[in-house]
Amino acid sequence: MTKADIGIVGLAVMGENLILNMESKGFTVACYNRTVSKVDRFLEGRARGKNIVGAHSIEEFCASLARPRKAMLMVKAGKPVDEFIELLIPHLEEGDIIIDGGNSFYGDTIRRTRYVEEKGLLYIGTGVSGGEEGALHGPSIMPGGSPAAWPHVKPIFQAIAAKVAGSGPSGEGIPCCDWVGRDGAGHYVKMVHNGIEYGDMQMIAEAYFLMVHLLGMTPAEMHGVFKTWNEGELDSYLIEITRDIMAYVDEETGKPIVDVILDTAGQKGTGKWTSQSALDMGTPAPTVAEAVFARFMSAIKEERVAASQVLGGPIPAFEGDRETLIEEIRQALYASKICSYAQGFQLMTMAADEFDWDLDYGGIALMWREGCIIRAQFLDRIKEAYDEDPELANLLLAPYFKAAIDRSQTAWRRVVATAVTHGIPVPAFGSALAYYDGYRNARLPANILQAQRDYFGAHTYERVDKPRGEFFHTNWTGRGGTTASTTYTA
């Protein structure tokens, strides 16, 4: 019996499509699902006649795999991953590989890598982005974990990944997949990808909202705008699908479907994790955080409806030039996007220092160039920036992005000011601008914060006329004495 090159546990949409993708590239794939009837349905349906082996138990599944066995979990993040790891371990041997391809929290992946390695096995936690279409035709794949596992899965992962035009090992382009780093590095990079995705989506939503409420534009008109934007520097998957959404008509009502969809957004946690990690790392990522908060705000729909009957504000009534404002919104979107990505990459540099990961930031941009949700022409510029300066402190300092912000800055400020004046919420645009202004200012009002902290808690402060690292305390009231609190940053 021919052994399978790799096996996948979990036959939801992503699992099925990855199996079909792998099989189409010449690999034999084993499959298993806890509800075994799904295995039979898959084999009788989409997998019929293909080199796909079905298993009705974990033992049968593991026995069907060639060594070193490669068992990939495509199950819900959290407890199910740990449960399947425990089910797999008794049927695996030294050097076999467990792969988690779900959206797991990177801290769990760090823990699981250590645990599985202690059992003599190898572990990979990999981000897989691109949705069901990406899984079937070529996703972006971000693997991390046990370095010794990478050579065994590299041929499979790079064969099924999306490709960027260029000279790749297969001659068909450079795969959007490469080794990210030890233990949780792959899932961390995928988490930041999703955080940036939250920011991108919110900024596009704000551009749409401004066109609706300031200019009274119809979805058909906005379809044309997004179509034009997708042919320029904003060329991206998310702009492309927004263009298509604007043209889609609801079959039931005959209305544009965007006008039928309720304005409450869900979220699965990765944007929240990104924001929490930024807080833990002590690095600013306000645009991602505001995108998460915007979803929370959308979720309290009934409260907002009630508040709209009570709370007042300006009535939008724009009287300027329509085409000028549309172009200014485009520039605001692009400038805000630059700041959002700058925050994401800055967060990854902090995590690399914290966890001793050797992250290749240009390589990460390349992995995101095709296949994933944030794929965009824009990412070519990020790779170029890191190729030119691998030690780049912040994307805003790269010549291309500095010039782009300089070109867009006036329009960006005007859009945010116009939105505020007319009472239209633009939390992502506004937070991105505040981030830019904070980063470019040599002096911020934190001296007042330190004075206040020292006044009420004797937390000390540094002085502009003394070397960094020397701390001082003032007896502000004459009653506090000279004893100061320990200086630390939590």
Side-chain angles (χ1 to χ4, degrees):
M1 175 183 171
T2 302
K3 298 279 189 176
D5 300 295
I6 189 170
I8 289 185
V9 175
L11 290 177
V13 171
M14 289 292 286
E16 281 195 8
N17 284 358
L18 279 175
I19 291 170
L20 294 170
N21 186 346
M22 290 172 179
E23 195 275 343
S24 74
K25 300 301 188 296
F27 300 104
T28 300
V29 189
C31 65
Y32 172 75
N33 195 84
R34 196 193 294 267
T35 305
V36 293
S37 59
K38 284 190 174 183
V39 176
D40 295 329
R41 281 201 300 271
F42 182 51
L43 293 176
E44 294 164 6
R46 300 176 76 196
R48 179 183 289 274
K50 301 183 185 295
N51 290 322
I52 297 171
V53 180
H56 293 89
S57 69
I58 284 289
E59 183 176 11
E60 182 186 354
F61 172 76
C62 292
S64 71
L65 301 175
R67 296 216 55 208
R69 299 180 182 90
K70 295 170 280 292
M72 186 170 183
L73 303 175
M74 294 301 299
V75 300
K76 186 178 179 180
K79 187 178 178 183
V81 176
D82 291 310
E83 290 175 344
F84 272 109
I85 288 172
E86 293 302 328
L87 290 172
L88 286 166
I89 286 174
H91 305 289
L92 300 178
E93 299 173 76
E94 184 174 352
D96 288 347
I97 303 162
I98 298 174
I99 306 160
D100 174 15
N103 264 339
S104 287
F105 180 59
Y106 73 93
D108 289 337
T109 305
I110 292 173
R111 169 180 57 80
R112 289 167 183 151
T113 302
R114 186 182 306 117
Y115 176 71
V116 169
E117 287 179 344
E118 288 171 353
K119 302 291 184 180
L121 307 172
L122 301 175
Y123 193 78
I124 288 177
T126 184
V128 180
S129 179
E132 58 181 293
E133 282 293 305
L136 184 61
H137 300 295
S140 170
I141 307 175
M142 296 151 261
S146 307
W150 175 232
H152 300 290
V153 301
K154 180 179 179 180
I156 301 173
F157 280 12
Q158 291 196 337
I160 68 169
K163 305 295 188 296
V164 178
S167 181
S170 62
E172 60 176 354
I174 301 169
C176 293
C177 170
D178 208 345
W179 186 249
V180 176
R182 293 184 305 102
D183 49 62
H187 272 139
Y188 193 92
V189 168
K190 175 57 162 59
M191 178 193 75
V192 174
H193 163 283
N194 285 26
I196 291 172
E197 177 187 311
Y198 273 55
D200 267 359
M201 294 171 71
Q202 177 62 26
M203 289 183 287
I204 293 169
E206 290 174 16
Y208 152 81
F209 211 55
L210 287 165
M211 286 188 278
V212 170
H213 290 280
L214 278 181
L215 300 177
M217 293 176 67
T218 65
E221 290 173 319
M222 287 183 284
H223 166 77
V225 170
F226 283 109
K227 181 176 184 296
T228 301
W229 287 1
N230 199 50
E231 294 164 357
E233 59 191 1
L234 282 172
D235 173 18
S236 66
Y237 174 70
L238 285 170
I239 293 290
E240 177 186 316
I241 67 170
T242 306
R243 173 202 67 194
D244 295 345
I245 288 166
M246 292 300 161
Y248 201 94
V249 176
D250 177 48
E251 293 181 1
E252 185 175 336
T253 63
K255 297 178 181 179
I257 198 162
V258 71
D259 291 340
V260 176
I261 297 172
L262 188 69
D263 58 315
T264 59
Q267 55 100 22
K268 288 191 173 180
T270 45
K272 182 173 67 176
W273 293 346
T274 307
S275 301
Q276 289 172 333
S277 181
L279 291 169
D280 291 339
M281 299 292 170
T283 189
T287 306
V288 175
E290 287 294 351
V292 176
F293 287 137
R295 295 196 188 192
F296 292 164
M297 180 66 79
S298 78
I300 55 171
K301 172 69 174 178
E302 287 72 22
E303 279 189 56
R304 290 188 289 110
V305 170
S308 71
Q309 306 300 313
V310 178
L311 303 178
I315 298 173
F318 182 73
E319 296 179 352
D321 182 76
R322 172 182 168 125
E323 295 305 317
T324 298
L325 181 58
I326 291 172
E327 170 56 19
E328 288 178 342
I329 293 170
R330 184 194 70 79
Q331 292 184 44
L333 176 55
Y334 192 60
S336 298
K337 182 183 180 83
I338 292 170
C339 287
S340 180
Y341 280 70
Q343 292 164 38
F345 275 83
Q346 194 171 43
L347 175 56
M348 286 190 288
T349 63
M350 296 291 286
D353 288 341
E354 175 74 16
F355 298 110
D356 193 27
W357 294 331
D358 184 19
L359 300 184
D360 177 357
Y361 305 108
I364 290 167
L366 185 68
M367 277 189 273
W368 293 349
R369 180 61 182 86
E370 296 291 343
C372 68
I373 302 302
I374 64 171
R375 60 186 182 264
Q377 181 189 86
F378 173 86
L379 286 153
D380 289 335
R381 301 298 189 179
I382 295 179
K383 183 172 191 316
E384 290 167 6
Y386 282 108
D387 284 349
E388 291 171 7
D389 182 5
E391 303 301 318
L392 185 66
N394 190 298
L395 281 176
L396 293 175
L397 302 177
Y400 173 83
F401 293 113
K402 179 184 179 300
I405 293 284
D406 287 344
R407 287 194 306 272
S408 303
Q409 190 173 156
T410 300
W412 186 17
R413 294 183 186 282
R414 196 148 45 218
V415 166
V416 172
T418 300
V420 172
T421 301
H422 290 84
I424 297 174
V426 285
F429 282 178
S431 67
L433 181 56
Y435 171 81
Y436 175 75
D437 282 337
Y439 192 68
R440 71 178 183 82
N441 265 280
R443 188 168 175 84
L444 293 172
N447 52 321
I448 297 299
L449 302 180
Q450 281 303 100
Q452 292 168 336
R453 294 179 73 239
D454 191 56
Y455 192 111
F456 65 66
H459 292 296
T460 74
Y461 53 82
E462 295 173 275
R463 294 175 59 99
V464 297
D465 54 357
K466 302 290 184 182
R468 290 298 306 268
E470 291 186 24
F471 294 88
F472 302 87
H473 168 59
T474 292
N475 183 355
W476 298 92
T477 63
R479 300 185 299 274
T482 58
T483 302
S485 175
T486 303
T487 298
Y488 66 92
T489 300

